Amino acid sequence: MNKKIATIAGCVMCIAFLVGLATTLTRSMMIGFTDVLPVYILMVIVIIMMLYEAFYDKK
């Protein structure tokens, strides 16, 4: 049970960091949405891979 709570807490903190990092890029006036779109795509892929590894990859 403790491992599951630690995994959930770690995933939540990592997702919050990645989303904060990606949204910080859009605050700049010199960077448009099309410049940041690859970052958003990579962040979604990373979050999906992290959640899959943490919860669904049980052998």
Side-chain angles (χ1 to χ4, degrees):
M1 185 66 179
N2 287 339
K3 183 179 178 186
K4 190 157 197 121
I5 292 172
T7 303
I8 290 171
C11 286
V12 166
M13 286 188 273
C14 185
I15 289 171
F17 173 74
L18 291 174
V19 169
L21 187 67
T23 55
T24 302
L25 292 173
T26 60
R27 305 270 180 189
S28 176
M29 297 292 252
M30 296 171 25
I31 299 175
F33 179 74
T34 56
D35 298 329
V36 185
L37 190 61
V39 175
Y40 282 132
I41 292 170
L42 284 174
M43 291 298 166
V44 168
I45 292 171
V46 166
I47 289 170
I48 290 170
M49 288 172 56
M50 178 185 61
L51 292 175
Y52 177 77
E53 181 72 26
F55 295 108
Y56 301 115
D57 194 24
K58 306 291 182 193
K59 291 184 179 179

